[in-house]
Amino acid sequence: MEVLHTICYISKANPSLSEDEIQLLFEQVNQCNQVLGITGFLTYSFGRFFQVLEGNPKHILPLFENKIKEDQRHTEIFEVYNRSTPHQVFLKYNSKFKVVTQKEELQNIEKYLLAHRAAENSEKISRLLKPFLFFD
Ligand SMILES: Cc1cc2nc3c(=O)[nH]c(=O)nc-3n(C[C@H](O)[C@H](O)[C@H](O)COP(=O)(O)O)c2cc1C
């Protein structure tokens, strides 16, 4: 069976980041992840990022350890998950990997996670998602 890995974290955005810079980051992330077959999502609300990355550990681990963790655009990275998983929860989600900027889209993710509750990571991710659903 293919080895898969999931990383899930919350971080604090660098307060000097402008809206334009966040937009630029989002575009960069969408492009890179599609190429590498990484699934999950990235969202931002009130100065916090929340990201789920799933896929081949050969791609996910160096990306997280060497790039994302070193990125000056955020600090206080709190890892909720960093472990191998039997499957990618978001493989069947329509966008595979998505930067989420609309509350409706986050609500769709929440619904999707509830429908796939059997997957071991789904419930934890949906609990973490809750605070992000409160903000516009
Ligand atoms: C909150 C946050 C999330 C990020 N997520 C990803 C990601 O999922 N995929 C990705 O390729 N880069 C992501 N990046 C960007 C990387 O840190 C890095 O800039 C990018 O991989 C390009 O690195 P390079 O210019 O050294 O090739 C993220 C950055 C931040 C601040």
Side-chain angles (χ1 to χ4, degrees), residues 9 11-14 17 25-26 28-34 36 38-39 41-44 48-53 62-64 66-75 77 97 99:
Y9 71 87
S11 67
K12 184 170 180 281
N14 185 326
L17 270 190
L25 167 69
F26 283 174
Q28 183 191 16
V29 169
N30 263 339
Q31 274 173 14
C32 293
N33 291 2
Q34 262 143 38
L36 295 176
I38 294 172
T39 57
F41 65 92
L42 168 66
T43 191
Y44 167 84
R48 298 270 159 191
F49 291 112
F50 176 33
Q51 185 167 33
V52 175
L53 291 163
L63 172 66
F64 185 63
N66 308 333
K67 305 258 177 165
I68 297 178
K69 268 175 130 175
E70 302 296 322
D71 201 308
Q72 302 294 307
R73 289 172 285 189
H74 64 169
T75 54
I77 298 162
F97 187 88
V99 172

